[in-house]
Amino acid sequence: MKRKLFQSTLAAAMLLLVYATANAQEAQERAIKFGHLNNADHPVSFGVKRFAELLAAKSGGKLKVQEFPASALGNEMQQQSALQGGVQEMSAPATTSLAGIVKEFGLVDFPFAVSNFTQADALLDGPFGQALLAKLPEKGLVALGYWDLGFRNVTNSKRPITKPEDLEGIKLRVIPNPVFLDTFKALKANPVPMPFAELYGALESRAVDGQENPFAVILSNKFYEVQKYVSATNHVYAANIILVSKRFWDRLTPAEQKMMTDSANEARGYQRQVSRAAAQRAVAELQAKGMQFNELSASEQARMGQIAKTVTERLAAGYDPAMVKLYNDELARTRK
């Protein structure tokens, strides 16, 4: 019995070796610059590293990923332009940054749309998320799927956010995106669009009172040094999108494209797991660093959702009706 088990294991290992060798022979030596905004201790960075390891293994070390974290290659818009121009190969921005070129990506940012990770994954990995990805090649980008960034929460230096009224008058940095701007205007905050790379300095100088991001981002960027309050508003589920320059993609062989796609798919589950575990740990660490943490009651969060609904209904009217219908249908499916 043990001999048969050993023989079958050996045969499987030999098959994998043959497959990897065949793949490697089909790959050319290529350097891949992979930029993103997050620090090297953030779950997005861990996802990039896992992707790089998988791709190196599948290509026999010929497809080499070089990571550029912490906005080293510029802000999201600069990196997006670099991908479209073919001077950068990959990036992992938040989906929010794509609303400027495919308006319907704004639907992903609709507040209080999903309430847990299962719903979020089903929405993005399903027909709606894939329909969004299909719109990118004509914009010079190819997407390999969605990674986890997490539910976004508000921090500020003024007061805890326990109800919608607490946001009134707070100067809050938001992503330069209509959904975020209009939502926080409706909540009577003073939203300020600003590139992420400028945020810490703006918080430190009190040019803005606060910001909103997932817990792991708040911790990784040491916002606890310049913010007192962190409130679990959970107002938007945020995802990163794995982008490839179409100019680079079109130079790859079909075998190389498959290696890229397979590596991204395999890295996705790992990245999501790491990201969600980090978010849980981050709350305790932020409190240990001196931040005052609070949750919102279900009723107050529902009130925020009702205020935001007026914004999303108005914005949805300006989107492709077929995409809005698919979005609503898929939301209904994920909530069952």
Side-chain angles (χ1 to χ4, degrees):
M1 182 69 182
K2 286 183 179 178
R3 181 181 177 83
K4 284 184 179 179
L5 181 61
F6 173 76
Q7 287 174 334
S8 64
T9 304
L10 182 62
M14 290 298 292
L15 277 173
L16 282 173
L17 181 61
V18 169
Y19 173 77
T21 303
N23 265 355
Q25 288 172 348
E26 294 184 52
Q28 300 176 35
E29 293 279 351
R30 300 187 191 272
I32 300 169
K33 296 189 294 292
F34 196 143
H36 60 90
L37 305 193
N38 300 100
N39 294 329
D41 64 349
H42 187 273
V44 166
S45 181
F46 298 149
V48 174
K49 291 178 177 69
R50 177 57 64 92
F51 170 79
E53 291 168 2
L54 290 164
L55 188 59
K58 292 179 191 301
S59 66
K62 291 181 179 177
L63 297 179
K64 298 181 177 71
V65 174
Q66 185 179 5
E67 181 187 13
F68 291 85
S71 304
L73 298 180
N75 63 37
E76 283 181 319
M77 295 298 101
Q78 290 167 330
Q79 293 196 42
Q80 185 185 104
S81 296
L83 261 66
Q84 290 170 314
V87 297
Q88 179 179 330
E89 288 74 34
M90 294 187 71
S91 69
T95 57
T96 51
S97 67
L98 295 174
I101 61 168
V102 176
K103 187 190 294 186
E104 285 73 26
F105 267 98
L107 290 163
V108 179
D109 296 324
F110 275 14
F112 307 104
V114 296
S115 57
N116 57 57
F117 296 127
T118 301
Q119 291 177 0
D121 292 347
L123 181 68
L124 294 176
D125 295 343
F128 168 71
Q130 299 311 301
L132 285 176
L133 301 191
K135 291 178 175 287
L136 289 173
E138 66 187 44
K139 306 295 184 181
L141 302 168
V142 172
L144 301 182
Y146 302 93
W147 285 356
D148 180 79
L149 190 55
F151 282 93
R152 302 182 75 92
N153 302 283
V154 172
T155 72
N156 79 99
S157 56
K158 296 285 189 183
R159 55 184 171 267
I161 307 302
T162 62
K163 56 187 183 298
E165 290 79 7
D166 292 332
L167 283 164
E168 187 168 346
I170 286 183
K171 194 179 287 187
L172 197 75
R173 177 269 176 179
V174 298
I175 293 170
N177 172 304
V179 176
F180 282 81
L181 283 165
D182 291 358
T183 295
F184 281 102
K185 280 179 186 173
L187 291 165
K188 297 186 178 178
N190 180 9
V192 180
M194 180 185 297
F196 184 78
E198 300 173 15
L199 178 53
Y200 184 96
L203 293 170
E204 187 175 34
S205 67
R206 298 296 176 94
V208 293
D209 302 316
Q211 60 86 53
E212 47 83 49
N213 259 301
F215 292 130
V217 175
I218 295 165
L219 178 65
S220 177
N221 288 275
K222 300 183 178 180
F223 292 155
Y224 53 80
E225 294 178 345
V226 288
Q227 297 276 268
K228 183 174 181 181
Y229 303 100
V230 56
S231 303
T233 49
N234 290 318
H235 51 278
V236 168
Y237 174 76
N240 285 83
I241 186 165
I242 308 311
L243 295 181
V244 184
S245 163
K246 189 172 187 299
R247 290 192 181 189
F248 173 70
W249 183 258
D250 289 344
R251 293 199 302 270
L252 299 176
T253 66
E256 289 171 330
Q257 291 177 351
K258 186 176 188 303
M259 293 175 208
M260 295 271 288
T261 301
D262 290 349
S263 297
N265 287 340
E266 289 175 37
R268 180 180 61 199
Y270 166 81
Q271 192 279 334
R272 285 176 174 172
Q273 183 180 21
V274 168
S275 181
R276 290 160 189 176
Q280 285 187 316
R281 293 194 305 271
V283 174
E285 291 186 46
L286 289 170
Q287 288 176 288
K289 299 287 187 184
M291 291 195 83
Q292 184 175 316
F293 171 79
N294 72 279
E295 294 181 331
L296 273 73
S297 68
S299 60
E300 292 299 342
Q301 194 175 52
R303 286 183 62 222
M304 277 192 183
Q306 282 302 115
I307 294 168
K309 192 173 181 181
T310 60
V311 172
T312 56
E313 286 176 347
R314 176 173 53 77
L315 289 174
Y319 294 158
D320 176 358
M323 285 297 293
V324 174
K325 182 180 186 306
L326 180 59
Y327 169 77
N328 287 325
D329 289 347
E330 285 297 292
L331 269 186
R333 179 182 66 85
T334 65
R335 290 169 176 169
K336 286 180 180 176

